[in-house]
Amino acid sequence: MEIKAKMPGKVESVIVNVGDVVVKGQKVLVCEAMKMKTPMASPCDGTIVEIKAVVGARINAGDVLIVIEE
């Protein structure tokens, strides 16, 4: 399962690490768009297998930020 950016902006913080076990609804990163900080949550229970988001990096809508293995 992939967590994708919903709108263009910037990665404010990444809260999880590769190998972390997460539950559905758990906050995994925070993006900033239009001066608003938006937390993004895991859409499922699983394990973080890849983090493509880099703090401070610009992102576009649809960019894959985190990959979770269910």
Side-chain angles (χ1 to χ4, degrees), residues 2-70:
E2 297 176 332
I3 297 177
K4 297 181 180 180
K6 295 178 182 162
M7 64 180 74
K10 166 177 110 165
V11 178
E12 180 72 24
S13 64
V14 178
I15 301 164
V16 294
N17 296 300
V18 171
D20 287 356
V21 175
V22 295
V23 295
K24 183 177 180 176
Q26 179 177 337
K27 186 165 66 168
V28 293
L29 66 114
V30 178
C31 293
E32 182 181 333
M34 300 183 300
K35 298 189 181 190
M36 288 180 39
K37 294 181 182 176
T38 305
M40 297 186 72
S42 174
C44 61
D45 294 349
T47 303
I48 305 294
V49 292
E50 187 175 2
I51 299 174
K52 296 183 176 204
V54 177
V55 174
R58 291 270 172 214
I59 55 174
N60 296 306
D63 286 355
V64 175
L65 304 174
I66 293 180
V67 179
I68 300 172
E69 184 176 86
E70 295 182 67

